[in-house]
Amino acid sequence: MTSSTTHAHKAPKATLVIFGINGDLSHRLLMPSLINMTADGLIGDDLTILGIGRAEDDDESLRRGFETFKGEAGGEGALDMQAPRIRDAWQSLRSRLFYLRGNFGDADLYQRLHARFDQTGNGSAVFYLATAPHFFGDIVERLATAELLDESSGFRRIAIEKPFGHDLTSARELNARILTLAHENQLYRIDHFLGKETVQNIMVARFANTMMEAVWNRNYIDHVQITAAETVGVGTRGAFYNATGALRDMVPNHLFQILAMIAMEPPNSFDAEAIRNEKAKVFRAVRGPTDETVAADAVRGVYTAGKVGGKEVGGYRATPDVAPDSRTETYAALKLAVDSWRWAGVPFYLRTGKALAQRDTEVVVHFKPVPFAQFQGTGVILPPANKLVIQLQPNAGIAMDLVVKRPGPAIETAPVRMDFCYGDTFDIAHATGYETLIYDMLIGDQTLFQRADGVEAAWAALQPVIDAWQAAGEPQPYAAGSDGPQAADELIERDGRQWHRIGP
Ligand code: BG6
């Protein structure tokens, strides 16, 4: 087994200030990641964690609250607090975790924060906004007013969680506001998909393998499918989700990040700006559905009651905090184009949904079929075209569908699969995906974070769909536990193609 952190040095001395320390993200992902990072030697005794929240806590009660983690190792399981590696790391981290109580909108909180930095003499800090999105702009403004973004005694960085805006206008406004208070190189806009090893691997798999890059264009690729299917329903997130919907929640961020990795040109280095420049070019080249094509090229669905994995699931509209006449979609499918020399004429089909039959995040690159000529007279029906399946989660890996000769005297073909399974070779199971992101914030590497222009270009590509869906119409129902609405099948079948089967 190969470890994923073999070459990394320990992060520098700093304070990680987490706004929203009592929230779900801190419990489920941030603190488990910090424990994993401690266990892997990525952070040491000189990292202090200061949690900010509104609850009546103190240092000790906060620490006790974290004693029973709901961590998501590999996104699926819980952190094993009994494992010696984890137990030791937590013991080391525990004494460096502190609590500061306060209201995010209260000027006094920022003065107390300032005073703490003066006392410790530790200048460098990352302010992590793990809060509801409506706090983002205000917190940055208050940090700036209290001179907490001044970098004269060390770096001062801000990590901003998703969603960054809820449409093009709000994303522009938020960018404009925070960019008057902080420099772009202080801003770490998070898309947690970029923390996933398998998403990062797309770029390496493309640019470290000559044979991939040689066929990676419109001459050989027929179309690309990107899927993020989830079995979970909306559950307790009704209030957030109903104002958001599947399109905003998953597409301009997570699916577009994957799209950019697939479609970008080779950067001239693995430097953050070089990579983010190439990704921004892809976002600007994306041509999404327009007012004229939205009816045909964008489909929305909503789950009704059904069974997922043998368990009864109520319909979306019966979810707490969701109105029975809600028009919010829990499924979205789209056909997009990328207007570049490399991709002209190659459609990208994207789909995502909740309460589907299987959990499956994958990219399927469908190659063009071979010319049939040489098989004429052999009895062979046109052999299936090659497919490259990049499975991101679960069971991460890369598989190639090829065609070989079936043994025997006649020319007969048989489809076969060549498989690489990530977990067979590398130890990635214990990671939450946030370890790399937190580490990169601390060392100042912005490669895996979104830049202002990229965020805005992604919203711009989808704004016509957002507007059209807002203005009229309803999502098409699909039963929980199915593969999504029928209209999504029709979207791709109109082009004479089919979705790759959902499921590993
Ligand atoms: C989040 C969305 O950003 O990503 C959720 O808000 C979604 O609705 C989640 O479930 C999916 O992430 P992952 O890592 O579980 O695939």
Side-chain angles (χ1 to χ4, degrees):
M1 252 335 118
T2 308
S3 151
S4 44
T5 50
T6 37
H7 300 299
H9 297 293
K10 190 168 76 60
K13 175 176 167 138
T15 303
L16 176 62
V17 181
I18 302 178
F19 286 84
I21 191 69
N22 292 312
D24 185 57
L25 181 76
S26 303
H27 275 260
R28 233 167 21 86
L29 293 162
L30 300 185
M31 202 53 74
S33 306
L34 289 162
I35 295 181
N36 279 331
M37 293 169 74
T38 306
D40 287 342
L42 292 176
I43 50 177
D45 295 349
D46 48 6
L47 183 86
T48 303
I49 300 157
L50 181 58
I52 300 185
R54 283 167 291 183
E56 269 190 55
D57 261 316
D58 57 28
D59 296 344
E60 204 37 49
S61 66
L62 179 73
R63 293 168 188 164
R64 273 199 309 274
F66 279 114
E67 224 82 80
T68 48
F69 284 101
K70 292 179 257 159
E72 292 198 343
E76 315 285 352
L79 260 195
D80 177 7
M81 288 301 280
Q82 300 316 315
R85 170 183 170 278
I86 299 297
R87 206 182 44 221
D88 294 351
W90 169 240
Q91 282 315 318
S92 141
L93 205 59
R94 198 181 190 284
S95 57
R96 286 178 281 119
L97 173 63
F98 302 95
Y99 187 65
L100 189 62
R101 186 178 172 209
N103 251 318
F104 304 148
D106 193 347
D108 170 64
L109 169 68
Y110 300 83
Q111 274 150 22
R112 285 184 287 131
L113 191 53
H114 200 288
R116 266 185 111 109
F117 277 105
D118 287 346
Q119 280 160 20
T120 58
N122 182 359
S124 296
V126 172
F127 301 101
Y128 196 122
L129 313 193
T131 68
H134 63 269
F135 287 118
F136 296 163
D138 286 350
I139 294 178
V140 177
E141 192 159 319
R142 293 199 178 270
L143 287 170
T145 309
E147 294 179 359
L148 282 156
L149 299 181
D150 181 306
E151 295 200 292
S152 48
S153 70
F155 62 74
R156 296 293 168 96
R157 300 178 183 141
I158 306 162
I160 305 182
E161 266 295 334
K162 147 180 183 289
F164 196 93
H166 57 269
D167 58 12
L168 177 59
T169 307
S170 55
R172 274 189 183 146
E173 280 168 6
L174 184 56
N175 271 329
R177 184 172 179 199
I178 62 179
L179 282 167
T180 59
L181 306 162
H183 193 272
E184 179 66 49
N185 68 17
Q186 293 176 280
L187 297 171
Y188 290 68
R189 296 178 192 80
I190 294 177
D191 184 311
H192 82 277
F193 265 46
L194 288 175
K196 295 181 191 284
E197 284 293 343
T198 49
V199 174
Q200 293 169 35
N201 178 50
I202 298 175
M203 203 168 62
V204 174
R206 278 189 57 196
F207 298 133
N209 293 295
T210 310
M211 62 180 203
M212 290 261 214
E213 211 30 38
V215 292
W216 211 256
N217 58 55
R218 63 192 301 272
N219 297 328
Y220 298 98
I221 293 178
D222 177 74
H223 74 282
V224 177
Q225 296 182 14
I226 302 176
T227 300
E230 298 185 275
T231 47
V232 289
V234 171
T236 55
R237 299 170 75 213
F240 159 77
Y241 198 86
N242 204 48
T244 308
L247 181 75
R248 288 179 160 107
D249 190 37
M250 296 292 288
V251 182
N253 29 63
H254 305 329
L255 295 196
F256 266 44
Q257 289 298 333
I258 298 172
L259 169 76
M261 296 275 193
I262 295 288
M264 68 193 272
E265 293 302 317
N268 56 6
S269 74
F270 277 115
D271 169 75
E273 287 319 296
I275 291 174
R276 300 199 303 175
N277 286 343
E278 294 306 334
K279 284 168 64 175
K281 280 190 213 162
V282 174
F283 295 138
R284 282 196 293 270
V286 170
R287 186 160 38 85
T290 60
D291 293 351
E292 290 71 42
T293 62
V294 71
D297 290 347
V299 163
R300 58 185 146 157
V302 61
Y303 64 84
T304 54
K307 268 190 177 179
V308 181
K311 278 203 194 127
E312 301 282 351
V313 173
Y316 171 69
R317 288 171 181 162
T319 306
D321 300 323
V322 173
D325 60 350
S326 161
R327 290 169 57 231
T328 299
E329 78 287 354
T330 60
Y331 179 103
L334 301 169
K335 177 182 171 184
L336 306 173
V338 177
D339 278 338
S340 67
W341 186 282
R342 187 189 283 264
W343 295 113
V346 180
F348 284 73
Y349 300 95
L350 274 49
R351 63 181 163 161
T352 183
K354 299 238 181 253
L356 295 174
Q358 304 248 21
R359 174 161 160 84
D360 183 12
T361 310
E362 64 171 24
V363 181
V364 184
V365 179
H366 289 251
F367 289 89
K368 293 191 169 169
V370 291
F372 185 56
Q374 66 276 33
F375 288 105
Q376 275 167 21
T378 62
V380 169
I381 309 167
L382 187 64
N386 296 144
K387 260 188 300 194
L388 180 75
V389 182
I390 306 176
Q391 184 72 36
L392 302 171
Q393 57 187 19
N395 308 327
I398 300 185
M400 182 84 201
D401 285 358
L402 303 169
V403 176
V404 297
K405 180 179 175 299
R406 193 180 288 285
I411 296 281
E412 274 182 45
T413 59
V416 291
R417 175 163 274 211
M418 257 166 50
D419 240 336
F420 156 70
C421 178
Y422 233 90
D424 290 347
T425 310
F426 300 104
D427 173 19
I428 55 168
H430 70 263
T432 66
Y434 270 76
E435 291 84 354
T436 319
L437 298 177
I438 298 173
Y439 179 74
D440 285 355
M441 286 166 207
L442 291 168
I443 64 164
D445 183 342
Q446 291 186 297
T447 310
L448 298 178
F449 299 88
Q450 305 192 77
R451 211 171 53 187
D453 55 341
V455 174
E456 291 178 17
W459 280 118
L462 294 172
Q463 195 59 49
V465 183
I466 294 173
D467 291 342
W469 286 2
Q470 183 89 37
E474 290 248 343
Q476 191 185 80
Y478 63 95
S482 69
D483 283 353
Q486 200 192 329
D489 294 339
E490 290 162 7
L491 178 152
I492 195 164
E493 283 165 9
R494 271 195 294 278
D495 293 345
R497 302 182 174 108
Q498 286 200 322
W499 290 112
H500 191 243
R501 185 181 50 83
I502 289 183

